[in-house]
Each structure stands twice: as C-alpha cells, then as structure tokens.
Amino acid sequence: MSAVDLGMPSLPHAPRGVGHLRGDRSFPDAARESLRDGQLRANLGHATSTIRAKRKAVVDEVPDWAELREAGRAIKAATMARLDEHLVALEEQVTARGGTVHWARDAEEANEIVIRLVQATGTDEVVKVKSMATQEIGLNEALEAAGIAAHETDLAELIVQLGEDTPSHILVPAIHKNRAEIREIFLRTMPQFQEQGVDADLTDEPRRLAMAARAHLRERFLRARVAISGANFAVAETGTLAVVESEGNGRMCLTLPRTLITVMGIEKVVPTWRDLEVFLQLLPRSSTGERMNPYTSLWAGVTPGDGPQEFHLVLVDNGRTAVLADEVGRAALHCIRCSACLNVCPVYERAGGHAYGSVYPGPIGAVLSPQLTGVEDNASLPYASSLCGACYDVCPVAIDIPSILVHLRAEHVEAQERTTPEAVAFRALAKAMSTPRLWRLAQRAAGLGRLLSRGKPTLPAALPPPASKWTRTRDLPTPPRETFTQQWVRERGR
Amino acid sequence: MKVALFATCLVDTMVPQVATATAVLLERLGHDVVVPPGQSCCGQMHVNTGYRREAVPIVANHVRAFAGALSSGVEAIVAPSGSCVASIHHQQAMVARRAGDHALADDAAALADRTYELSQFLVDVLGVTDVGAYYPHRVTYHPTCHSLRMLRVGDRPLQLLRAVRGLDLVELPAADQCCGFGGTFAVKNAETSTAMLTDKMANVLSTHAEVCTAGDASCLMHIGGGLSRLRAGTRTVHLAEILASTEEAVTPRQSTSPAVPR
C-alpha cells in the first residue's frame, strides 16, 4: 500500500444488469401495488401465520434454544473473522476428494463458469435444486440465453417457473399463490395435461397437485445428465457440502445425474463437521417449523461408481467481500436463509416479497440486498421496516437486523451528495433540539397548528405534504395550548 | 426518592397530559419530581431516519440537561415512553461513540443506567404494582414494539393494570404485532403503515374495549389517529393517565386521541 493510500479501497458490489438483487421500483411504489391485491394479502396472511405458529411450537419445546442460538451466532462470527482461511481449506479438501473448485468474483463470472461446465458435457438441459445463490446471480436466465434449459425441481420453484412468475419468499417461493391458482398454472403449462386436454381429475387438493408435479418431474430427473444445486453449508475441514430439503427432489438431483455443479456464496462455509450439529438444529425449526427436515444430503468430492462422477463447486463473492468489510453490516452474512424473519415481519406480511425487488425479501433482504448492491442501488429497502424488532427475536443466529437497518439508513443519508428537503428539515430540527431556547420557539411554532384546527380536536385532513401522507388515513391531534414544560414552569416555577 | 421526569419531545409538545399524569402519579407515591430545564429529545427519530451525525448534538443536549439533575440528588430518570427509553439505552452511546465522542458516549451510558420506562420504574425500582388507581373502564393493552422487544418490559404494564380498581382488562388479539407507526416509517411507507394500522384497529375493536392503552404516546397517536378517522368510539389513553386516575381525581384532559363524539 502506498503512502498516499488512505483508508480501505472500495470493494466491488454485485454488478448491474445481471441477477436479481435490484428492483425497478422503490419499495413504497412496489408495495402500493401488492397492498391493493386482496387475494395476495389473504394468501400471505394465512401462510405466514400458519408457519409462525408451527415455528413457535417447535422452538418452545427446545429447552436450550437460547444457548443454541448463541452458539450459532458465535460460530458464524468466528467463521467470518477468518473466512479466507476457511475457504482455502475448503478448496483443498474438495480438490483432494476429486472435486474442482472455481472462484467467481461476481454474478457474471459465476454464470460464465457454469455455462462453460454445462456446455462441456454436451447437454442442453439441467435439473436444479432450489438455490438462492443461483436465483441471486440470475443463472436460469443466463443458461437460457446460452441455449440451456434449466428445470426447477423444488415444488414451489416449479410453480413459480411454470407460472413465469418470480419467487416472493426465501423458503416458500410461491407463498403468494393459493391452491386454485397453482392448479390453474399446472393445467396451463404441464405437457401431460396439454396432451390430454383439460384434466378434470386435477383438483386443487394438495395431494393431487403434488402427484401432478411428481409425474412431471420424474421424467426430468431420469433424463438429466447435469444437476445444479446450491448449498446450505460447506464444511471446510472435510470438503463436505450439505443440502437440506423437504421433498426429496434435491436428493434425486444430487445423486442421479453424472455431473453435479454446486453454486455457493462464500459465506456458507463452516469450519468443522461438528458445527453442523448446531445449524441442523436451528435451521429446520426456524424455517419449516419441523424438528428435522426430511432430507439432509451430504457429499464430498466424487465416489467412483456411485453418484455424480464429476463435481464442481463454484464459490461466489458477488458483493459479499464488501459486506464483510462493514463491521456493523457484516452480520447479515450470518444468515442461514431460514426465512423466519419474513414470516414474523408485519411489513412483509402486508407488502409481499415482490415489493423488495430482490430474491432476498423481508427483513434480511432489506439489509442484505442493499449491502450486496451498494446502498444507493437499493436505497428504499433499509426504510422498508417499522423497526419493530420481531425479526431479531426470531433469528436463529441472532442477527440484529433493526440495528443494521438503522446503520444502512445512515450510510445512505451520509452518502447523499445533494441536500434533500428532508435533510434540511432534520438538520434544522436537530439544531432546535440541541438548543433549549430554539426548542421552546419550535414548540411554540408547533402549537400554532391550533390555528388550523379552528377549535376542533384534530387538524384538517387536507394538510400539505409531507403531513398529507399521515392525514390521508389518520387524524393528527390539534397541538395543546401549552406544552408540559411551560405548564410546569408556570405552576411550579421549575 | 428524588426523580427527574423526561417528558420526551412528543409528549411535551403534543400530549402534555401524559407527562402531567406521570408527575402526579410519582408524587402520589411519595416521590419528589423534578423536571430538568433544557430537556428536549432523546435523538431517536434522527438516528432511526439515518441522521446519525445530526443526532449527536441532541444526545449531548439530553446529557447536559440530565447530568446536572443526577449531581443534585436525583436518583432516577423516568420517561413515559418505552421507545425513547430504549433509544437512550441502545442508541445514544452508540451514536456518540461512532462520531468519536467517547466522553459523551460514557456520559450517555451512565445516564442510561439511571433511566427507566415508567412501568419498569414502578415495578422494578419501587416494587409496587398497585398504585392506588381507579379507572372504571373496559381497557385493552397494546405492548408497543420497543417496550416489548428492546426494553423487555414484559408483563409489568399488565401487572399494573390488573391492580387498577374498576378496570376491566381485556386481551388484545395479536397484541405483539406492530401498529405500523415506526416513526418516519408511517410517512415514508404510508400505505404499508396504514395496512398494519388497519389490522391493529380491527383487533382493538374486536375487544369492544372503551380504551386502548400503551406505554408509548407515539404509537397511541398513530392508533388513536386511525380510530378517530373511523369515528370508532374507542379512545387511546396512555398507561400513565390510567395509573394516575383515582376515585377522587381523574387526570385532567385525559385521552391522547382526539375526542370522538360518543
């Protein structure tokens, strides 16, 4: 480092134009649309309250949940502190077991690597295990552009893919759809129904819908030569990858095809096998409200004659190093993608996942997405929270999301080059609040609001902006004649 | 005990009767109440909206106003607001330290150690749950988010309310859900805030309570503002006002929500 180099170099964020971390509208604009959709709000309210109740029941039955949660937090914090060493160890172990490790700086590099690997096998289609990392980098779109069809095999991802929709929840990507809507999508898009015409047997009974998806997917599993997965964890000391899931589709993808490509964010590494003990208890209870997830698949490298004979691990940065460099914000990288914070968030429950404009919706998305892209590219997300704190309470690795939200708001405000009317107002208010004489004048000015009320207990609803944002749906009380401190001094003489 | 009252900027300016009730209540319990001059705001709204640097002089003003009180025999600082007390505990020292003012951070932390939300002060410090109040109304309690999650006041307000004579306490469904206020959130995300408020009001109205109470004037202003627009008939009244009410004297000008024709 040269003598004139002051401070940290700025680290690259996730590139624009690729992947799904940025919305094309601000959160309030996108939310306005979903708030009008009564069906969506009903679907979300029903689903999140069901999952909330399930999660609470199974968490409450663990006597040492608080200790487990602290262990999870501590392992993550310690891992992040030496992430470079753990990643190098992981690469050594994966390589030693016959796998190949690829390093991708960002979404573009990761997509190029995967496309090259698929093309080398000579196939033009792949099956996919549900993966947030590949959604983040827009892998399906990149594969399609390269002439490769990617078939999602997770039931909810399949619904979203067939419906030409985008996921709205980390764990339940189709949470915004109800059974009737899913039936309609299946009838419209699944080849087995198109050949037979409309199938009256396909009711919206969950079992019927699952059977239809099963028949649809089975054919793809048996045909596929390449599978692409994400990873929930990677164990540095053994080079073991782990995927936890509920339906068994992941197990099919991870074992049947000849080539397996795993795309993983660099923060998913844990140092030792033993660390899994903690997370495999925290994750299923927090996410699906189950004591244990039905399928946990673990693999290391390749085993001749058994399972995939070629294994590639693509380690993706895509802005994570920049997140790691922020001592407050880096805790967002501790996230194990359980989605518990989404299910308790009152904002998510009303606005829905699409309002966040990123594959990471809800409270964790509101802190993770702006950090991966740079705050200026997702400036409305840190404000998409009432700071009620429910997310922090349920987070199985104790990420203090409200504090990170507040931190990112400050980063956004401090990075603004032009002075906004809001900044002028807040600065003036700060000046008044820190100067008792000015504060008394400001309070008296607020009291003049009485003049507008013409003796009524509330101010008129037609106040100018920004007060109109409040008075559109709420009455503002008329300020009192005298403040408390004025009255106190008058009556008691201080 | 000599107690300093932190009225908070919102209560002082908009709902002075809440601070009056707090003082009346503490005096009735035999304590000496002082109101340090020069007090204004804890700085929370600035911190939570991203104006962290601008919050530093506000914190400094708060410390200046109350440090003198401690040196003149005040043993505790009490505020009728879970949210402001949470900010004093969790944000003031942080913003000062972040700005490099470690002396201010230390002073703010020392003040925070002596600062209590009203229900915490009554139950934990004074050890009382029956404050001798009388309030013959059907009441439901909304545990505000910052009281509930940042300060962990738990069921202290409920213990206090249960001991109020004549009061019919009814449980609020989905009580722990946010009302949608969130400071500037109610303006920056006005529609989402309204959707949250709508559900909160539906739950309040389902209890058929005459009064919805809480330990935060800000959340009550939001809920009360919505109920007033609906001409709902249910009022919002701060916990301090209920606790200050006795058979002999109902606190003056009660109700934080605008009066509604009943």
Side-chain angles (χ1 to χ4, degrees):
Chain A
M1 197 179 280
S2 72
V4 289
D5 191 353
L6 297 169
M8 288 278 291
S10 86
L11 293 155
H13 291 113
R16 291 177 186 157
V18 58
H20 302 286
L21 287 171
R22 295 167 178 85
D24 46 15
R25 286 175 301 176
S26 71
F27 183 86
D29 286 346
R32 196 168 297 127
E33 189 173 295
S34 33
L35 285 165
R36 279 198 212 108
D37 186 340
Q39 184 66 62
L40 176 100
R41 274 176 70 184
N43 294 351
L44 272 176
H46 175 72
T48 54
S49 61
T50 307
I51 306 176
R52 262 201 310 269
K54 268 180 78 183
R55 178 207 160 267
K56 187 176 179 336
V58 296
V59 163
D60 286 352
E61 69 185 19
V62 180
D64 60 347
W65 183 260
E67 288 82 358
L68 264 176
R69 182 174 184 249
E70 174 51 25
R73 191 205 60 77
I75 293 168
K76 281 289 181 183
T79 306
M80 294 306 149
R82 307 175 79 161
L83 188 61
D84 52 344
E85 294 171 31
H86 297 305
L87 287 170
V88 169
L90 176 69
E91 178 180 32
E92 281 168 10
Q93 291 302 320
V94 169
T95 309
R97 284 163 175 75
T100 310
V101 174
H102 310 260
W103 298 83
R105 201 171 324 195
D106 58 29
E108 281 162 1
E109 277 191 13
N111 289 336
E112 279 164 25
I113 292 166
V114 175
I115 290 167
R116 185 163 41 76
L117 291 171
V118 176
Q119 282 170 341
T121 67
T123 188
D124 60 0
E125 63 173 351
V126 299
V127 285
K128 284 189 70 209
V129 184
K130 175 175 161 20
S131 144
M132 293 309 296
T134 60
Q135 291 278 1
E136 173 190 323
I137 62 175
L139 180 63
N140 287 8
E141 292 81 352
L143 287 170
E144 194 186 335
I148 300 161
H151 305 297
E152 293 290 349
T153 65
D154 172 83
L155 181 53
E157 284 289 355
L158 178 69
I159 294 164
V160 168
Q161 189 177 42
L162 293 178
E164 293 183 358
D165 197 358
T166 52
S168 70
H169 189 280
I170 290 174
L171 183 80
V172 199
I175 194 166
H176 55 291
K177 295 286 184 200
N178 65 22
R179 288 190 268 150
E181 290 167 302
I182 293 165
R183 174 178 180 271
E184 187 272 324
I185 291 170
F186 282 7
L187 278 178
R188 186 158 48 81
T189 58
M190 283 185 175
Q192 71 249 42
F193 297 121
Q194 297 192 323
E195 282 153 24
Q196 298 164 11
V198 174
D199 189 334
D201 285 348
L202 184 68
T203 63
D204 63 4
E205 192 192 337
R207 186 166 165 275
R208 290 283 181 175
L209 294 172
M211 280 165 63
R214 184 186 165 92
H216 176 83
L217 289 171
R218 172 107 348 181
E219 191 254 338
R220 281 171 169 70
F221 288 136
L222 295 176
R223 200 172 65 204
R225 281 150 55 199
V226 177
I228 298 175
S229 86
N232 291 97
F233 305 100
V235 180
E237 69 172 355
T238 55
T240 307
L241 279 298
V243 162
V244 299
E245 43 129 0
S246 298
E247 296 162 13
N249 62 301
R251 178 73 54 87
M252 299 285 266
C253 294
L254 296 164
T255 51
L256 285 174
R258 197 184 172 281
T259 301
L260 173 59
I261 304 167
T262 298
V263 181
M264 182 189 106
I266 52 171
E267 82 283 14
K268 294 268 170 169
V269 68
V270 295
T272 70
W273 182 262
R274 193 126 189 228
D275 298 324
L276 288 181
E277 172 197 332
V278 172
F279 297 113
L280 291 181
Q281 293 179 76
L282 289 171
L283 182 55
R285 284 181 200 261
S286 301
S287 61
T288 50
E290 294 166 301
R291 296 184 179 92
M292 188 74 215
N293 49 290
Y295 293 87
T296 301
S297 302
L298 298 145
W299 72 99
V302 293
T303 308
D306 184 17
Q309 294 302 292
E310 216 182 301
F311 171 58
H312 297 274
L313 175 63
V314 184
L315 293 169
V316 184
D317 186 314
N318 208 35
R320 284 163 176 74
T321 309
V323 184
L324 195 63
D326 183 328
E327 62 180 79
V328 177
R330 74 169 62 132
L333 292 179
H334 297 183
C335 175
I336 56 174
R337 309 283 188 262
C338 72
S339 73
C341 62
L342 278 62
N343 300 327
V344 297
C345 178
V347 174
Y348 175 88
E349 187 178 330
R350 273 83 188 181
H354 290 152
Y356 294 79
S358 161
V359 291
Y360 302 113
I364 188 64
V367 293
L368 190 58
S369 307
Q371 292 198 90
L372 291 172
T373 62
V375 178
E376 63 276 16
D377 275 17
N378 263 314
S380 67
L381 287 187
Y383 297 93
S385 164
S386 65
L387 303 179
C388 84
C391 49
Y392 183 19
D393 267 17
V394 292
C395 178
V397 291
I399 302 170
D400 185 353
I401 294 174
S403 290
I404 304 177
L405 286 166
V406 168
H407 171 71
L408 295 177
R409 292 175 186 188
E411 301 277 290
H412 165 63
V413 164
E414 282 159 27
Q416 274 172 341
E417 283 166 8
R418 275 187 297 169
T419 305
T420 62
E422 181 194 272
V424 172
F426 269 86
R427 278 176 203 143
L429 193 57
K431 178 74 184 159
M433 284 172 162
S434 53
T435 319
R437 184 180 50 81
L438 287 180
W439 176 237
R440 282 194 297 276
L441 285 174
Q443 285 182 306
R444 222 161 278 159
L448 291 179
R450 294 183 69 76
L451 298 177
L452 292 172
S453 73
R454 297 164 186 270
K456 296 211 176 77
T458 59
L459 294 175
L463 285 177
S468 57
K469 293 261 193 184
W470 176 279
T471 54
R472 194 169 298 152
T473 56
R474 295 153 285 215
D475 286 335
L476 261 182
T478 297
R481 201 175 303 278
E482 204 177 28
T483 67
F484 166 73
T485 41
Q486 280 174 336
Q487 185 198 336
W488 185 269
V489 171
R490 181 169 55 73
E491 289 175 359
R492 317 269 191 122
R494 100 165 24 181
Chain B
M1 188 187 297
K2 198 169 171 186
V3 181
L5 175 60
F6 173 40
T8 81
C9 62
L10 181 79
V11 165
D12 188 23
T13 315
M14 294 301 290
V15 276
Q17 66 272 23
V18 172
T20 306
T22 309
V24 165
L25 170 65
L26 293 173
E27 286 178 339
R28 193 174 78 219
L29 294 172
H31 301 283
D32 191 7
V33 177
V34 295
V35 178
Q39 60 171 287
S40 63
C41 175
C42 62
Q44 178 187 197
M45 191 171 73
H46 280 76
V47 178
N48 284 353
T49 313
Y51 295 87
R52 185 165 59 189
R53 283 201 290 239
E54 287 77 1
V56 177
I58 306 177
V59 171
N61 182 72
H62 182 83
V63 168
R64 216 166 24 238
F66 285 92
L70 284 191
S71 57
S72 65
V74 162
E75 291 175 68
I77 302 159
V78 176
S81 164
S83 157
C84 305
V85 173
S87 176
I88 288 167
H89 280 263
H90 298 285
Q91 295 183 327
Q92 286 198 341
M94 180 272 288
V95 294
R97 198 152 279 136
R98 176 103 195 171
D101 193 339
H102 296 279
L104 179 60
D106 292 345
D107 290 348
L111 267 189
D113 285 346
R114 300 286 195 87
T115 306
Y116 303 90
E117 181 272 337
L118 179 61
S119 74
Q120 285 185 321
F121 181 70
L122 294 171
V123 176
D124 297 354
V125 181
L126 301 182
V128 291
T129 48
D130 186 346
V131 296
Y134 172 76
Y135 196 78
H137 297 284
R138 187 175 169 92
V139 175
T140 194
Y141 169 71
H142 166 60
T144 63
C145 300
H146 288 176
S147 296
L148 186 72
R149 303 200 182 87
M150 275 175 95
L151 275 184
R152 305 279 168 200
V153 304
D155 71 341
R156 290 173 185 83
L158 291 171
Q159 291 178 38
L160 292 158
L161 286 169
R162 278 188 209 111
V164 174
R165 271 167 288 287
L167 189 146
D168 177 16
L169 185 63
V170 283
E171 196 180 328
L172 178 65
D176 61 357
Q177 279 237 351
C178 178
C179 69
F181 174 59
T184 46
F185 173 78
V187 172
K188 283 181 185 279
N189 286 281
E191 288 87 355
T192 307
S193 166
T194 296
M196 290 158 70
L197 174 63
T198 303
D199 292 346
K200 179 58 70 180
M201 290 193 296
N203 284 320
V204 169
L205 295 177
S206 78
T207 65
H208 300 289
E210 297 161 74
V211 166
C212 172
T213 191
D216 271 283
S218 49
C219 309
L220 288 176
M221 188 173 81
H222 185 239
I223 299 171
L227 290 170
S228 161
R229 180 62 57 87
L230 291 185
R231 302 280 176 262
T234 300
R235 294 175 302 150
T236 51
V237 176
H238 194 282
L239 178 69
E241 296 176 89
I242 294 178
L243 299 180
S245 300
T246 60
E247 226 156 329
E248 299 75 39
V250 173
T251 53
R253 224 184 143 253
Q254 214 173 55
S255 151
T256 57
S257 63
V260 166
R262 293 166 59 85

